[in-house]
Every structure is written in structure tokens, then in C-alpha cells.
Amino acid sequence: EGSHGPRIKVYLESLGDASISVSISDSPEIVAGTRNVVSAKELNKISEWIIKNKQVLLDYWNSDRADTRKILNSLESVYALKPINFIL
């Protein structure tokens, strides 16, 4: 099984049990899951949140001993249209 770049799994209320994975980068994009299940507005909000929190997310991704609670407290929010859950 090959490795992949930094990404975050996103669960949207509109997806039900489904999820998408979005790259952690300056230009986030869907790297797994079905693209057409999220609206352009939702994807823009997700991208905005990832860009705003990119360094914190990358630090977490690259650490094998990260303090998850500290990381979660470091994340900045972005007002979204619907509830969005991120899995680090």
C-alpha cells in the first residue's frame, strides 16, 4: 500500500455516512471520495478552513506524538453553511 500526501477526512451533514478526503495544501482539493456530493460553496468553506489552519494541520500530520487536544484548541474556525466534521 503506497503512502499519500497530507489530507483530512471531512464528514458533511449532507453526505450522511459518506466522507471526502481533502488535501492539506495551499490549494486544497478532493483527493478521495465523490466530488459531486459537496457544493462549490461547501468546498470553498472547507478549503478556506484548511488554508487558515494549514500549518497546525501539517504539524499534526507530521507528528507521531502530537497532543490532539492542543491541536484541536489551536484550530481557527470558519463559518460554514452546514455543520462540518473534520477527522484528523
Side-chain angles (χ1 to χ4, degrees), residues 10-78:
V10 180
Y11 292 89
L12 293 169
E13 192 174 83
S14 61
L15 296 177
D17 291 333
S19 66
I20 56 171
S21 291
V22 182
S23 62
I24 301 171
S25 68
D26 290 327
S27 300
E29 58 185 45
I30 296 173
V31 294
T34 307
R35 293 178 185 278
N36 64 355
V37 297
V38 294
S39 70
K41 271 186 176 178
E42 288 170 324
L43 188 55
N44 285 340
K45 287 293 184 183
I46 293 165
S47 296
E48 182 183 346
W49 183 84
I50 290 172
I51 292 166
K52 185 182 269 193
N53 292 289
K54 182 180 142 199
Q55 193 56 55
V56 174
L57 295 169
L58 288 174
D59 289 347
Y60 186 79
W61 178 270
N62 291 315
S63 175
D64 59 344
R65 304 186 86 176
D67 180 344
T68 303
R69 182 170 292 161
K70 183 178 178 183
I71 295 295
L72 290 173
N73 289 333
S74 299
L75 296 172
E76 294 183 47
S77 65
V78 170

